[in-house]
Amino acid sequence: MARGTLRIYLGAAPGVGKTYAMLSEAHRRVERGTDCVVAFVEHHHRPRTEVMLHGLEQLPRREIAYRGGTFTEMDVDAVLRRVPAVALVDELAHTNVPGSRNAKRWQDVEELLAAGIDVISTVNIQHLESLGDVVESITGVRQRETVPDEVVRRADQIELVDMCPQALRRRMAHGNIYRPDKVDAALSNYFRPGNLTALRELALLWVADRVDACLTEYRSEHRVSAIWGSRERIVVGLTGGPEGRTLLRRAARLAEKGAGGEVMAVYISRSDGLTAVSPKELALQRTLVEDLGGSFHHVIGDDIPAALLDFARGVNATQIVLGVSRRRGWQYALGPGVGATVARESGPDLDVHLITHAEAGKGRGLPAARGARLGRTRMVTGRLVGVLGPLLLTWLLNSVVPDVGLANDMLLFLALTVGAALLGGLLPALASAVVGSTLLNWFFTPPVDTLTIADPQNVVAIVIFVGVAVSVASVVDLAARRTQQAARLRAESEILSFLAGNVLRGETGLEELLERVRETFGMESVALLERTGDTAPWTCAGSVGPRPATTPDDADVDVPVGDHMALALRGRVLPAADRRVLAAFAAQAAVVVDRRRLRGEADRAEELAEGNRIRTALLAAVSHDLRTPLAGIKAAVTSLRSDDVEWSEEDRAELLEAIEEGADRLDQLMGNLLDMSRLQTGTVMPVLRESDLDEVVPIALGGVPEDSVELEIPETLPMVHVDRGLLERAVANVVENAVKHSPPGEKVLVSASALADRVEVRVVDRGPGVPDEAKERIFEPFQRYGDSPRGVGVGLGLAVARGFTEALGGTVHAEDTPGGGLTMVLSVPMAPGRAEQPALSAPGGSRTPDAPRGHGTE
């Protein structure tokens, strides 16, 4: 049986119209005679959506009893028995009630597809597994109902249901999405314009990436090599010169002119040693392209134009941006250059932009040599000139310009020898001198056509010619080699200087440093290996590139760092001259690893120092704040036990009340100290269970006067997943702090509300408030803000409250109260499956416990 097809309506946010669009498609198919049924659609009491269900066959749902309630889910067996051509299944990311056939609804859909039934479903962008962290950072809400990206990507069709944030907020304000009592909270929290805009961008980018992946797959399957300009992709060819920054900014402006433009910078290095560029400049350009929203790529290739074009065609680029050559005018005689070659070979499907810049025509400067040799190309050219050059010059002097004189003949052969030395070094120059002197003797020195020399002066002349040729060739070769060595040393010193500076300043991580090694030497992969002893196995401290070496023996090049660390490179064998720089890289990598470990030890030392600071503060607190109530208790007890004074019943009651107050204060102080000690030692182990706030908060108010707090805790709030004891203590400390700083006669307001998958408790006072710069400091241990008198506490209440709340998976922060004062906001997680219950209802008024939908559904 053929697998069914899956069509998904993807929305950027709840309420954009996914379910409505799905039902509209169902009506169109029914009108065409397609057997289409509603397997599960949740209309959430939205009138327009509910109307669209009319005229469609709805299959019965399965009822499941759970925790004293009855809930409904899609009946997969009923759908399989009915065997429709098309089934509508809403909310693909939904979590089924425990006891269902599958844990997730997308698993139910997989069964329907396997049975050959086509499925139309809906999902919001925030429910994709890979986007969970991004969505949480944008909205502050962690989506607990997710669907694997691969499930959505496998869909045969994905249609984006889009709506601008302003229109969606208008729909919300008109009551077309949520009930009126939830509109204000939704508009001021999840449905803020910024949140909706960011979610909309996520949806558009995700769909665009999937379309791009489908296009790439199609081109691969049909072996399409031509570039399809469906999206502007601009490749910037970098040489590592200072003009690269100009090219990147120009390419970014070109990309902005087209929708979805993408900038990809590529640096192509040769495979025979150190790169010929400044690593500092290349790092700056890498950072710049990433800041501009592009990507940086490092490619190894000896034929730079061919490698650049292969890269551009491989990524389906539409434009290539290159800088005008920095070569001087006379250097064009050596070849057309990279820009002209790329433009000639690009073909009609690639536009090539040559951008002018301030460095054009100024020359490239001294190249960074790759070893003390002159390079294979120059050596081959020098040998050809040294051997074939004299033969060609002899033919020219005999056939084209004969009888120029022996002296001129010698000067021409001498110039040819110097040229061979410049190109290929000493050996080609010696060959040119030997061949040239022989040809001079045979063709131009009387008697000709014989090696005999009649005139002794000519013998001297030829000997001088050979001596001068050899001497000049030696000097030229030595100067060329010294120039190459100087250029190489300059490149090495620049690399090492930049490397040492970054490492010493702590700006380079281990992976970044290893990536720099891989780029500098053109290797496939680089790994830093270490072991604890001579016989211990090697472990990888960090690596970059594919297939990194796991032992030094597996590497093409390995550099030991101390006794138990080694830098292992794969790709090719490096010349001995490169190992000096590589050894410096290895030493710096070891420094980075040591710094990382030292940083960890410093963090542990800081924790110990913080513990010492707390102990010192504790001693100070004990010396005063704990002795104050003890002194009051002792004075009262001493007075009661005194036989010299006859105390009245009122006096005795007053003294006993003072003893009781002092004992209560001691109990509170000792409780906070013990709690802080538990938090510092990490021994707080919360026992999480479902609890009602309207049972927890009133108990927490037992330590404050009855007429000092106004309580507003709705009974309809969902249950929270907390440790009741820890939450009571946290709320009690926050409320007591608010009451302490409230003006006389002003009540502290304690209210609670639900927001997405969390419940917030807000403690509002009308006290003096706290400046913004001190709002975090008041949560530190032993901190008492402002002019709080001694003896009212050791400054641990808010610190303990934050510690306990964070142990429950919640947060505590301070806000300004409108009109003056301070508002403490405690946010704790709802019980699993309760996140969106007010938005759900089932027959009989029951609520689904494990199916949070509100913000994540339509």
Side-chain angles (χ1 to χ4, degrees), residues 7 100 209 222 252 314 333 349 467 569 615 655 687 708 848:
R7 178 170 182 168
S100 301
D209 287 341
H222 293 78
D349 50 1
L569 295 84
R615 282 191 288 272
L655 290 173
V687 180
S708 62
T848 305

Side-chain angles (χ1 to χ4, degrees), residues 415-583:
L416 187 64
T417 302
V418 172
L422 289 174
L423 287 173
L426 181 60
L427 291 178
L430 291 176
S432 177
V434 172
V435 175
S437 61
T438 303
L439 293 176
L440 274 173
N441 187 4
W442 184 273
F443 289 100
F444 304 103
T445 305
V448 296
D449 298 333
T450 178
L451 295 179
T452 303
I453 302 176
D455 189 351
Q457 293 182 356
N458 292 337
V459 176
V460 175
I462 290 178
V463 172
I464 293 175
F465 163 77
V466 174
V468 170
V470 172
S471 301
V472 171
S474 300
V475 172
V476 170
D477 176 71
L478 181 61
R481 290 179 180 275
R482 291 292 181 264
T483 300
Q484 297 286 13
Q485 291 172 1
R488 176 183 177 81
L489 292 174
R490 185 184 65 179
E492 290 181 2
S493 63
E494 191 173 25
I495 290 172
L496 296 177
S497 174
F498 178 69
L499 173 66
N502 277 8
V503 172
L504 290 176
R505 291 191 298 268
E507 299 174 357
T508 302
L510 180 60
E511 284 70 23
E512 295 175 354
L513 181 62
L514 297 181
E515 180 64 26
R516 185 65 52 76
V517 175
R518 191 174 75 89
E519 291 180 1
T520 300
F521 295 95
M523 304 300 287
E524 179 184 353
S525 64
V526 180
L528 184 65
L529 307 176
E530 61 178 346
R531 58 182 179 181
T532 56
D534 293 337
T535 59
W538 290 97
T539 59
C540 182
S543 65
V544 293
R547 301 187 308 108
T550 56
T551 65
D553 295 336
D554 297 336
D556 294 313
V557 180
D558 69 282
V559 178
V561 186
D563 295 331
H564 303 127
M565 190 174 291
L567 190 65
L569 295 84
R570 268 185 172 174
R572 61 188 176 85
V573 178
L574 292 178
D578 287 346
R579 294 183 67 90
R580 182 174 63 243
V581 178
L582 189 57

Side-chain angles (χ1 to χ4, degrees), residues 248 263 265 284-296:
L248 291 173
V263 176
L284 292 174
Q285 292 175 18
R286 177 199 291 269
T287 302
L288 176 60
V289 70
E290 292 173 352
D291 291 342
L292 293 172
S295 56
F296 182 90

Side-chain angles (χ1 to χ4, degrees), residues 363-404:
R364 293 183 177 273
L366 293 175
R370 298 166 178 85
R373 61 194 184 279
L374 299 175
R376 181 178 179 182
T377 302
R378 287 186 60 179
M379 291 295 293
V380 171
T381 305
R383 289 168 183 173
L384 291 176
V385 171
V387 176
L388 300 180
L391 297 176
L392 179 61
L393 181 58
T394 299
W395 177 80
L396 289 174
L397 292 176
N398 280 329
S399 304
V400 181
V401 285
D403 301 328
V404 297

Side-chain angles (χ1 to χ4, degrees), residues 602-621 676 680-681 781-782:
D603 292 340
R604 290 190 291 272
E606 186 176 352
E607 292 177 1
L608 294 175
E610 177 67 14
N612 290 332
R613 188 185 70 82
I614 290 178
R615 282 191 288 272
T616 302
L618 176 60
L619 291 174
M676 199 66 218
Q680 291 293 326
T681 56
F782 303 104

